[in-house]
Amino acid sequence: MATIQEVANRAGVSKATVSRVLSGNGYVGQEKREKVLKAIAETGYRPNLLARNLATKTSQTIGLVITNTLYSGSYFTELMAHSARILEQQGRQLILADGKHTAEQEEAAIQFLLDLRCDGIIIYPRFLSIDALDAIISRHKQPILVINRRLRVNHSYCIYSDQHASSATAVSHLLNQGHREIAFITGSLDSPTGVERLSGYHAALAAQGIEADSRRIVTGKWTAQSGMAAVDQLLERRVTFSALVASNDEMAIGAIKRLTECNIAVPGQVSVIGFDDIPLAPFITPSLSSMKLPVTEMIDETINRLLNMLDGGDWHTQAPFTASLMLRDSVTKGPGRSA
């Protein structure tokens, strides 16, 4: 592998001149610059990025930690794709690290990115607790921003949507339409999002003086298959319901498929609402009503805040983002209400 000294010798310049060309810092005449670039091409020289990062104190990279169990689905595809697009526009490189399956592995992924000298890190946590995240942020100089968790200490370092309120909004709409027997498919309950959406369901019913019936609550796993299985469980329990809220659109689509296969009309007999408003939602039959989370706006806020921190500029703390109910054909009036 070629060294910087070999490049300097071939170009007939000093190592310092080669370094200035590589870093873009300091003046180098056009003739010498062209000689250096030609020598780099001829020798196949590749700079040691870690050494350069140590010298320049910046890597122009931003790390992103997401556990691999969250990679699938339109929500996370949009999150990762939009992050990459925005950072590319800013002339920075996105580096993805896998948080794998435990809090320890999530923290190891953060440390991996810190060891690579990433200028800042974004994490969408699945396993790390709020206290652990606050502690990690507090002991590192590089900014570490957290998506989808509300931190207790480092308030400026978290960007989140109120999942409890969003779920309550979906259930409240069905209640206002005359539905009283509303089934709910949770997400994985080892996920804070899954727990908060379930709590929003309970809160909306309680606000109307309705006691939640545990027979109408089924635990899902964020997949269409688990949405189908949830409907099977509801039917096996012989519990009545005129509406169903699923904690994401994939499970809602699976639920609609199984209801249709069982000759239960959607929305004629059961209205359905999902979460995330995935691109497919308007195109299934019936088109799916869904709580739309502002994913791109949250990513924009996260990256803008992170870059402002790195530049030493001012930034504001954004209030929790709110979801919007996108009403489509999968919802109609409840029993006893005219359509």
Side-chain angles (χ1 to χ4, degrees):
M1 181 180 293
T3 66
I4 193 171
Q5 185 64 62
E6 290 175 297
V7 173
N9 292 342
R10 182 178 286 265
V13 299
S14 67
K15 286 173 59 177
T17 298
V18 176
S19 295
R20 286 197 295 274
V21 171
L22 289 170
S23 67
N25 295 322
Y27 173 77
V28 178
Q30 185 62 30
E31 183 179 352
K32 285 186 178 180
R33 181 180 299 276
E34 290 177 357
K35 287 182 178 179
V36 170
L37 294 176
K38 182 180 179 183
I40 289 172
E42 290 174 348
T43 60
Y45 173 73
R46 293 292 181 272
N48 184 319
L49 292 179
L50 288 178
R52 188 180 72 182
N53 294 347
L54 286 169
T56 62
K57 295 184 173 57
T58 182
S59 65
Q60 299 299 308
T61 61
I62 299 297
L64 174 63
V65 176
I66 302 180
T67 179
N68 62 47
T69 58
L70 300 177
Y71 288 172
S72 61
S74 297
Y75 176 87
F76 288 98
T77 298
E78 182 180 0
L79 187 153
M80 290 188 282
H82 192 65
S83 298
R85 284 194 299 269
I86 295 299
L87 288 170
E88 181 182 6
Q89 292 170 8
Q90 297 290 332
R92 292 179 180 265
Q93 180 70 41
L94 179 68
I95 300 178
L96 178 66
D98 182 7
K100 296 187 172 68
H101 310 292
T102 65
E104 291 75 18
Q105 289 172 323
E106 277 188 333
E107 185 168 359
I110 294 173
Q111 189 60 53
F112 171 76
L113 293 171
L114 291 169
D115 292 342
L116 287 180
R117 312 291 296 185
C118 287
D119 295 331
I121 294 169
I122 300 166
I123 177 170
Y124 194 108
R126 171 77 183 275
F127 304 106
L128 282 166
S129 68
I130 290 173
D131 289 342
L133 289 164
D134 268 323
I136 291 168
I137 292 167
S138 296
R139 68 171 177 261
H140 290 292
K141 181 178 180 181
Q142 293 101 317
I144 301 171
L145 268 63
V146 178
I147 300 178
N148 201 38
R149 293 285 186 89
R150 184 174 184 175
L151 300 178
R152 295 190 181 94
V153 177
N154 296 287
H155 304 294
S156 298
Y157 290 76
C158 63
I159 296 88
Y160 62 96
S161 179
D162 192 333
Q163 305 288 353
H164 172 100
S166 298
S167 181
T169 295
V171 177
S172 295
H173 177 80
L174 293 170
L175 291 168
N176 292 336
Q177 295 303 303
H179 296 280
R180 289 296 178 268
E181 297 177 337
I182 303 172
F184 191 84
I185 306 176
T186 78
S188 299
L189 293 180
D190 61 351
S191 157
T193 297
V195 172
E196 289 176 19
R197 289 180 181 172
L198 176 59
S199 71
Y201 166 77
H202 282 287
L205 292 180
Q208 296 283 341
I210 300 172
E211 184 176 355
D213 186 339
S214 62
R215 296 175 302 162
R216 294 193 177 98
I217 301 171
V218 182
T219 302
K221 298 180 180 178
W222 305 117
T223 66
Q225 290 82 358
S226 71
M228 296 175 68
V231 170
D232 288 338
Q233 291 185 52
L234 291 168
L235 296 179
E236 288 169 4
R237 295 172 184 176
R238 298 184 181 279
V239 62
T240 56
F241 56 100
S242 66
L244 182 152
V245 176
S247 291
N248 74 352
D249 287 346
E250 282 82 357
M251 292 192 297
I253 289 171
I256 289 173
K257 176 177 172 57
R258 179 63 86 223
L259 288 167
T260 302
E261 290 173 346
C262 295
N263 296 315
I264 299 173
V266 178
Q269 293 170 271
V270 175
S271 291
V272 177
I273 296 179
F275 266 85
D276 301 338
D277 195 36
I278 64 174
L280 186 62
F283 299 102
I284 69 167
T285 302
S287 57
L288 177 63
S289 298
S290 182
M291 295 301 299
K292 181 179 179 62
L293 297 173
V295 180
T296 57
E297 291 86 348
M298 290 173 66
I299 290 299
D300 288 341
E301 170 66 21
T302 302
I303 292 176
N304 287 336
R305 194 184 304 182
L306 180 58
L307 295 181
N308 281 333
M309 288 179 174
L310 293 172
D311 292 340
D314 296 328
W315 68 90
H316 66 283
T317 300
Q318 168 74 38
F321 285 84
T322 58
S324 303
L325 177 56
M326 308 301 291
L327 277 174
R328 300 191 180 96
D329 296 338
S330 65
V331 171
T332 191
K333 302 284 187 182
R337 295 282 298 272
S338 59

